[in-house]
Amino acid sequence: MISLAIAMLSGLATLVALRHTTDLNSFWCFTFAILAVILVQLSFGLLFRKKVNAVMDAIQAVILEGQERVNRKADMFQLKPAGGVKHMQKLLEREQHASIRKALELTSGLEPWFKWSPLLKKQVSTMRMQFHYQLGEFAEVDKLLPDCLFMDPVTVAMKMARMYKNDSKGLEKFYRKKSKRFKDERGVLLHSLYAWILVKRGEVDKAFELLTGLKEKTSNETILKNWEALANGKPKSFSNAGLGEEWYALRLETPKGAGAGKKKTRRRLK
């Protein structure tokens, strides 16, 4: 990090200056040099945080404003339907995509700070990957995934979904490793996704074994219903629809009867 290098140079310069221009003993010279390092690092940290937070706040504001516009238009359609549900969905999707693209453009404002924080670059790559995923631009998603941080279940699930779609090796290993971090309800999406993948691949016995191990540890209705479906030999009844928008955001399936009611429409488009 550049800030740390500058702070260390400042400390060294302070040490040399004190040794040559004062009568302070070595202990105090080193003490003041260390303080110089700390103060310079803190100053850079405050400046860095202020600049980065300003861009992050702007990105969040764009996304929230876009969602509010989508919700208002959805409300208007419920009151005065025009053009049919599919037409309405396309209009709302277009509105949402416009705000996501604007947010993507704003992330470029963080690039000058990459050299100050390697972790920031990974955070921005993760954010951009999620935006491209929402836009359905999976070529860009696949490019960004190697540079992402997998600190939340949704990001992990997105990579798992892409590994499944691309028939990539190591999917089970990745799932086993990452799912250990997310306990209880936080792991439901990952477990349900992996069980769904197993069913799609025809590995119903492995899916049943997975859900059997989870059945006693969770009260999640979706997991319990899917376990029951497999226990009764009905893999075609396996469904993660109960997870709602969290599931459909992975773009592996689309909701059935999405036009039947305002609540379902909003859930899909958020």
Side-chain angles (χ1 to χ4, degrees):
M1 286 177 59
I2 294 178
S3 59
L4 180 58
I6 293 175
M8 295 299 292
L9 287 173
S10 299
L12 181 60
T14 301
L15 177 62
V16 172
L18 291 176
R19 292 292 294 271
H20 286 83
T21 61
T22 69
D23 295 327
L24 291 173
N25 61 38
S26 297
F27 172 80
W28 287 111
C29 288
F30 278 105
T31 299
F32 285 121
I34 292 171
L35 285 174
V37 172
I38 294 172
L39 288 173
V40 171
Q41 186 70 357
L42 284 175
S43 298
F44 274 114
L46 290 173
L47 175 63
F48 172 82
R49 186 180 304 170
K50 182 179 179 180
K51 296 290 186 180
V52 170
N53 284 348
V55 179
M56 291 292 194
D57 289 344
I59 292 171
Q60 186 177 20
V62 166
I63 294 298
L64 290 176
E65 288 171 10
Q67 188 58 57
E68 287 174 1
R69 287 195 299 271
V70 168
N71 289 342
R72 284 197 299 270
K73 289 187 177 182
D75 289 338
M76 290 175 61
F77 180 84
Q78 295 298 325
L79 294 173
K80 296 181 180 180
V85 173
K86 288 186 178 180
H87 176 68
M88 180 272 298
Q89 289 173 343
K90 286 182 179 180
L91 289 177
L92 296 184
E93 187 176 72
R94 189 182 306 162
E95 186 73 51
Q96 186 180 49
H97 284 189
S99 63
I100 292 173
R101 291 198 185 282
K102 187 175 180 180
L104 265 171
E105 291 175 7
L106 289 175
T107 62
S108 62
L110 295 167
E111 291 178 3
W113 298 97
F114 286 176
K115 56 189 176 183
W116 299 88
S117 173
L119 183 61
L120 178 63
K121 185 175 182 180
K122 285 187 171 292
Q123 290 173 327
V124 173
S125 292
T126 305
M127 190 188 312
R128 286 172 172 171
M129 183 277 291
Q130 292 173 338
F131 287 152
H132 283 297
Y133 204 109
Q134 291 179 67
L135 293 169
E137 298 172 346
F138 296 116
E140 292 299 319
V141 169
D142 293 340
K143 287 180 185 177
L144 289 166
L145 276 171
D147 296 322
C148 289
L149 295 170
F150 299 99
M151 305 300 292
D152 64 277
V154 173
T155 308
V156 174
M158 286 178 171
K159 179 166 182 177
M160 287 175 60
R162 293 310 300 153
M163 293 179 79
Y164 164 71
K165 282 293 189 178
N166 294 327
D167 198 23
S168 302
K169 294 181 180 179
L171 173 56
E172 180 174 1
K173 182 179 179 181
F174 181 76
Y175 157 71
R176 298 290 181 190
K177 179 180 178 181
K178 296 299 182 181
S179 62
K180 291 178 182 178
R181 178 180 294 175
F182 307 109
K183 306 297 183 182
D184 303 321
E185 290 299 306
R186 295 194 72 207
V188 167
L189 177 62
L190 302 183
H191 302 315
S192 298
L193 168 58
Y194 189 60
W196 181 89
I197 290 172
L198 291 173
V199 170
K200 288 295 182 181
R201 288 179 170 176
E203 301 178 65
V204 177
D205 289 342
K206 286 185 69 173
F208 179 69
E209 182 181 350
L210 170 64
L211 295 180
T212 299
L214 295 169
K215 187 170 71 75
E216 304 302 326
K217 302 176 183 178
T218 183
S219 59
N220 183 270
E221 188 176 348
T222 298
I223 286 181
L224 296 178
K225 283 185 175 180
N226 283 333
W227 176 86
E228 186 176 351
L230 298 186
N232 292 326
K234 299 178 179 179
K236 290 184 178 180
S237 297
F238 185 104
S239 173
N240 285 333
L243 300 179
E245 65 175 273
E246 196 173 39
W247 169 248
Y248 293 117
L250 297 177
R251 289 176 168 262
L252 294 170
E253 292 183 325
T254 54
K256 294 180 180 179
K262 177 179 177 180
K263 187 173 182 180
K264 288 186 178 180
T265 300
R266 280 194 177 185
R267 180 176 296 168
R268 183 185 177 191
L269 293 170
K270 279 186 179 180

